[in-house]
């Protein structure tokens, strides 16, 4: 069962720094910070060392950042948050928007794979990437998606390994130079993804038929250096 982190409604710090700003000045500073972060729909009020945020934002990312910006003010001890998150039309519509953003990510390679799980406004990313920055950038791509109520980034960053990198190149060469798959070699991201972790291989993606699936699995299994192969290839178009 997948679990999701949920933001609390009322956050408080132990003791804030004593500042000389008036309530109005603190309010103006926080409003400017929200504007710079492109967070709209929140009313800000300040009384003493407590900030109140009330309104509706696009998603959980906006809510989380709004709370962080308010608590980041030196003269603020606590935040009373009455923040709603906008709802998507449906999980299907939300999922389509999430997938659209993932597909536009330009730094994907055939050695990465990412998917999304969506249920009840909750979104989780899962899969594998070869560099930590890819995991972070994929999450950032969802910043403007309306309706994400809760979020988890469960993408695994593959370990750095020269032997794995050599194996990736060997697997790509053997697979996509085979006549069965050579037509896909020139595509920016070919349909079969090759995930390598400590010489163990996971195949993901889509092939046209059962014969192609079996052929791909056979090529990978017969490549020297491969310890094991798990096939998650799907048959489709």
């Amino acid at each position: 069962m997948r679990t999701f982190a949920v933001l609390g409604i009322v956050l408080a710090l132990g003791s804030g720094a004593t500042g000389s700003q008036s309530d109005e000045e603190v309010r103006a500073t926080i409003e400017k910070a929200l504007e710079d972060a492109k967070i709209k729909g929140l009313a800000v009020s300040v009384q003493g060392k407590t900030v109140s945020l009330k309104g509706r934002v696009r998603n959980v990312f906006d809510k989380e950042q709004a709370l962080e910006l308010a608590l980041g003010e030196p003269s603020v001890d606590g935040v009373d948050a009455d923040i709603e998150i906008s709802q998507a039309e449906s999980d299907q519509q939300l999922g389509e928007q999430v997938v659209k953003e993932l597909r536009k990510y330009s730094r994907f390679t055939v050695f990465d794979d990412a998917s999304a799980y969506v249920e009840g406004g909750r979104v989780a990313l899962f899969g594998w990437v070869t560099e930590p920055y890819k995991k972070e950038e994929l999450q950032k791509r969802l910043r403007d998606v309306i309706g994400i109520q809760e979020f988890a980034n469960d993408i695994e960053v593959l370990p750095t390994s020269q032997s794995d990198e050599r194996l990736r190149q060997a697997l790509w060469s053997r697979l996509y130079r085979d006549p069965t798959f050579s037509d896909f070699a020139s595509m920016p991201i070919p349909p079969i993804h090759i995930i390598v972790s400590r010489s163990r291989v996971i195949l993901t993606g889509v092939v046209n038929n059962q014969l192609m699936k079996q052929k791909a699995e056979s090529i990978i299994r017969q490549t020297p250096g491969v310890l094991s192969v798990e096939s998650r290839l799907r048959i489709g178009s």
Side-chain angles (χ1 to χ4, degrees):
M1 180 179 295
R2 191 176 300 278
T3 59
F4 296 82
V6 182
L7 289 172
I9 297 302
V10 178
L11 301 181
L13 296 178
S15 60
T18 302
S20 58
Q21 286 186 311
S22 67
D23 289 355
E24 180 61 24
E25 288 171 331
V26 173
R27 182 190 63 79
T29 299
I30 294 174
E31 287 181 339
K32 180 61 166 58
L34 294 173
E35 181 182 352
D36 291 343
K38 299 181 180 179
I39 299 174
K40 301 178 181 179
L42 290 181
V44 182
S45 61
V46 179
Q47 185 172 4
K49 295 184 178 182
T50 300
V51 174
S52 295
L53 300 175
K54 184 173 183 179
R56 178 179 296 178
V57 294
R58 295 174 297 184
N59 51 44
V60 69
F61 305 120
D62 279 3
K63 179 178 180 179
E64 183 178 24
Q65 188 173 12
L67 292 168
E68 290 176 352
L69 289 172
L71 285 169
E73 283 301 303
S75 58
V76 172
D77 278 349
V79 177
D80 184 0
D82 182 10
I83 301 175
E84 297 180 31
I85 297 175
S86 298
Q87 299 279 343
E89 293 179 5
S90 64
D91 278 349
Q92 180 177 347
Q93 187 268 345
L94 178 57
E96 289 172 353
Q97 287 297 114
V98 169
V99 170
K100 179 180 178 181
E101 291 300 322
L102 295 181
R103 286 178 175 171
K104 290 193 297 185
Y105 184 57
S106 62
R107 297 188 181 184
F108 261 137
T109 73
V110 71
F111 307 119
D112 304 304
D113 186 56
S115 301
Y117 168 85
V118 179
E119 182 179 20
R122 297 171 295 175
V123 175
L125 299 184
F126 58 95
W128 306 265
V129 291
T130 54
E131 298 288 347
Y133 72 82
K134 294 181 180 181
K135 177 176 180 175
E136 298 169 3
E137 290 180 349
L138 285 169
Q139 179 171 329
K140 289 178 181 178
R141 291 205 64 83
L142 305 185
R143 179 60 195 266
D144 294 333
V145 176
I146 296 173
I148 300 177
Q149 305 294 311
E150 300 172 23
F151 178 78
N153 191 343
D154 294 334
I155 291 176
E156 177 183 345
V157 179
L158 296 167
T160 301
S161 166
Q162 291 185 355
S163 61
D164 277 355
E165 185 57 32
R166 287 193 295 268
L167 185 56
R168 289 184 184 106
Q169 300 305 320
L171 291 168
W172 186 96
S173 180
R174 287 174 64 91
L175 181 66
Y176 285 109
R177 288 181 181 174
D178 184 276
T180 306
F181 305 102
S182 58
D183 289 345
F184 302 121
S186 60
M187 298 174 62
I189 303 180
I192 299 175
H193 293 246
I194 305 167
I195 309 303
V196 180
S197 178
R198 297 184 174 90
S199 300
R200 291 172 171 79
V201 180
I202 301 174
L203 294 179
T204 66
V206 179
V207 293
N208 295 337
N209 52 57
Q210 183 66 25
L211 288 176
M212 292 181 72
K213 181 175 182 292
Q214 293 174 343
K215 180 67 171 179
E217 293 166 354
S218 176
I219 291 171
I220 299 303
R221 286 194 175 98
Q222 293 176 17
T223 301
V226 172
L227 295 181
S228 65
V229 178
E230 177 184 348
S231 178
R232 301 185 186 182
L233 291 174
R234 307 184 309 277
I235 297 174
S237 56

